[in-house]
Amino acid sequence: MPLDNIESLDTEVKRTTVADEKLSDHELILAAKCGDEDAFAEIVGRYRNQITNFLYRFLNDYDEAVDLAQETFVRVYFAIDRYHTQFAFSTYIYRIATNLAISEIRRRKRRKLLSLTGLFQSDEDADVEYQPADERSLPDADLIEDEQSRTIAKAIAALPEKYRVPILLRDIEGRSYDEIAAIMDLGLGTTKSRISRARGLLKEKLDHYLK
Amino acid sequence: MENDVHTNEYTGDDGRIVDLLAGLPRVAAPPDFDVRVRARIASGKAEARSGFRLPAAVAYGVGLGVVLVAFGLFGVFWMYSGDAEGVPAVATVDHSGQAEKTSNVVISKEPPIPVSDDTVAAARTPVPSATDPSPTVEVKPDKKVAQTPEIKPDSAQRRARTIYPKGIDPNLVITPQANAAERGKPIQVKELLSFLGVNSSFAEGGWRVDSVSANSTAGRLGLKAGDVITAINDQAINENTSFAGSFSGKSLQIRRNGQNIHVDLAKK
């Protein structure tokens, strides 16, 4: 390649990168369908933290959350041809992440049923549903949560799945009711009802912090 | 993003709950998140390129089936090969009077020769080869023929005269083919002496011993090179003397240093 073409190529790459940042999710997905790896990398960059945080609050396990978040993007990549733009991409990817998280929760339940240690747990522990305590240290010092945060996380983890998913999407991820209804494939009224019910359950568990 | 920042439109406890949840610290993906996603995608592509793969259970089942079939076939072949080796070939008898050959056995109608019980039992051993001539077997014709071909070794000799293999005519004489071919053939003196371990040549009016094999009958008798054998079984021998095929050695006449020595073979 002639030396005088290098500068123009570099300029084009920068222009393409800037253009990717301005593209909508649908446009990036369309580019990724055509084999643009940079477009898919931009999609990953946009949603990796949101999906990781959502899954962490859902599972209360950082490593598992990161693993499932990566799996979420892998599934998006291999199912990209089946993606339709009639839904927002965020709806699509949250739906995949939710399904993966629910599968993981059920897998944990089966594992707990097979575990002999589950027979000796107290009723109070059973209220926390399936959730084994994550004794591992968090990977980042910034993630060290205070007592209040741990109590809230434990209360969220104790919620049934059908209440936990919508309240996480609404009050932590800030998704709209319409989008949550689409993610959970529920009616709008049912979605609002479940969110309200989830808040009521949390109030019972977190009344100490509400005074 | 518009959803990243949301305001709390609720009041009372609901609003407090919303504030508590929104105040939870957010976790971020690890720095190598993108790299790991690309690695997973690459490994997924590799698996997709590898084409159709049998499930593990099916693959193990097929492998186990192949092994079982192989063992089964081996067992069948082993069973049939064992029968082929264990059962000697049985001669079919030509009752029209024509001799028939199967394997190394010749069946012919010749006058029977009386033999002992031991000889009859020996006749029931596997068929001899052409290089291993066995004695002629005779079975008396006036005995009954039994129908059971398998006889235990202990009872074989006891009932040898009354039990015969199925399909064998007791009136027939079974003679090894090699024995029949060589029967009556005369044995030259040089060949006869070689049986005793003596390498000889005709000289000095007899068969002079050129050399003696160490572990042979002649060696044990004390024959030495230079001895001249002048007679066998008290019969003087010359260059062309021969003996009948049924010859059995009894004595030698030797001349050593001008003296005649008589050697009795029966004592050795």
Side-chain angles (χ1 to χ4, degrees), chain B:
Chain B
M1 251 184 215
E2 58 179 359
N3 284 324
D4 288 344
V5 179
H6 58 284
T7 56
N8 183 1
E9 70 274 24
Y10 303 99
T11 58
D13 288 344
D14 276 0
R16 184 74 179 128
I17 289 293
V18 171
D19 287 339
L20 284 176
L21 296 182
L24 286 173
R26 296 184 67 85
V27 298
D32 61 346
F33 188 90
D34 295 11
V35 176
R36 290 182 179 274
V37 169
R38 281 199 295 270
R40 283 193 180 194
I41 289 173
S43 65
K45 285 180 178 178
E47 288 183 5
R49 281 195 299 268
S50 64
F52 175 74
R53 297 172 65 179
L54 282 174
V58 176
Y60 283 123
V62 170
L64 182 62
V66 169
V67 171
L68 290 177
V69 169
F71 271 103
L73 290 175
F74 176 78
V76 169
F77 283 127
W78 177 81
M79 183 173 64
Y80 280 101
S81 64
D83 286 346
E85 291 175 0
V87 179
V90 176
T92 56
V93 179
D94 182 7
H95 291 282
S96 64
Q98 294 180 347
E100 198 170 296
K101 293 182 180 178
T102 58
S103 182
N104 294 326
V105 177
V106 175
I107 300 175
S108 61
K109 284 196 173 184
E110 291 187 2
I113 303 170
V115 294
S116 64
D117 288 357
D118 294 340
T119 308
V120 175
R124 296 188 179 280
T125 57
V127 179
S129 63
T131 57
D132 182 22
S134 296
T136 301
V137 176
E138 176 271 333
V139 179
K140 290 189 176 180
D142 55 347
K143 299 295 182 182
K144 296 180 180 178
V145 176
Q147 297 299 319
T148 306
E150 295 181 0
I151 305 168
K152 293 182 178 179
D154 292 341
S155 61
Q157 291 188 0
R158 189 169 60 250
R159 298 189 297 169
R161 293 182 178 278
T162 57
I163 299 175
Y164 305 99
K166 188 176 181 180
I168 297 296
D169 188 345
N171 295 323
L172 297 180
V173 176
I174 301 175
T175 307
Q177 186 177 12
N179 194 30
E182 295 178 359
R183 189 174 55 190
K185 181 181 178 181
I187 302 174
Q188 299 294 322
V189 173
K190 183 176 179 64
E191 185 180 4
L192 187 64
L193 293 175
S194 68
F195 293 158
L196 300 175
V198 174
N199 183 22
S200 60
S201 60
F202 188 77
E204 304 175 19
W207 284 87
R208 186 184 62 202
V209 177
D210 296 331
S211 63
V212 178
S213 299
N215 298 319
S216 64
T217 303
R220 287 191 293 273
L221 289 170
L223 267 65
K224 298 178 182 177
D227 292 347
V228 178
I229 301 171
T230 55
I232 298 176
N233 291 358
D234 297 330
Q235 178 184 345
I237 55 176
N238 56 34
E239 189 173 8
N240 297 320
T241 302
S242 61
F243 294 86
S246 58
F247 166 84
S248 63
K250 296 176 182 176
S251 64
L252 297 177
Q253 187 77 26
I254 298 172
R255 186 172 67 237
R256 176 182 293 173
N257 299 327
Q259 295 183 347
N260 290 326
I261 303 172
H262 183 83
V263 178
D264 191 355
L265 296 177
K267 294 181 179 178
K268 300 295 177 180

Side-chain angles (χ1 to χ4, degrees), chain A residues 40 44 48-50 52-53 56-57 62 67 69-71 73-74 77-78 143 148-149 152 156 170-175 177 199 203 209-210, chain B residues 1 3-4 6-7 9-10 13-14 16-18 20-34 36-38 40-41 44-45:
Chain A
F40 186 78
V44 174
R48 62 183 176 187
N49 289 336
Q50 297 176 48
T52 301
N53 185 67
Y56 173 65
R57 292 302 172 192
Y62 182 77
D67 183 61
Q70 292 169 355
E71 182 64 22
F73 286 103
V74 171
Y77 183 89
F78 285 109
L143 296 177
Q148 176 177 317
S149 297
I152 296 172
I156 295 172
R170 177 63 190 164
D171 291 343
I172 292 182
E173 295 302 317
R175 297 290 137 185
Y177 286 111
R199 286 174 180 151
K203 272 188 284 186
Y209 297 102
L210 299 178
Chain B
M1 251 184 215
N3 284 324
D4 288 344
H6 58 284
T7 56
E9 70 274 24
Y10 303 99
D13 288 344
D14 276 0
R16 184 74 179 128
I17 289 293
V18 171
L20 284 176
L21 296 182
L24 286 173
R26 296 184 67 85
V27 298
D32 61 346
F33 188 90
D34 295 11
R36 290 182 179 274
V37 169
R38 281 199 295 270
R40 283 193 180 194
I41 289 173
K45 285 180 178 178

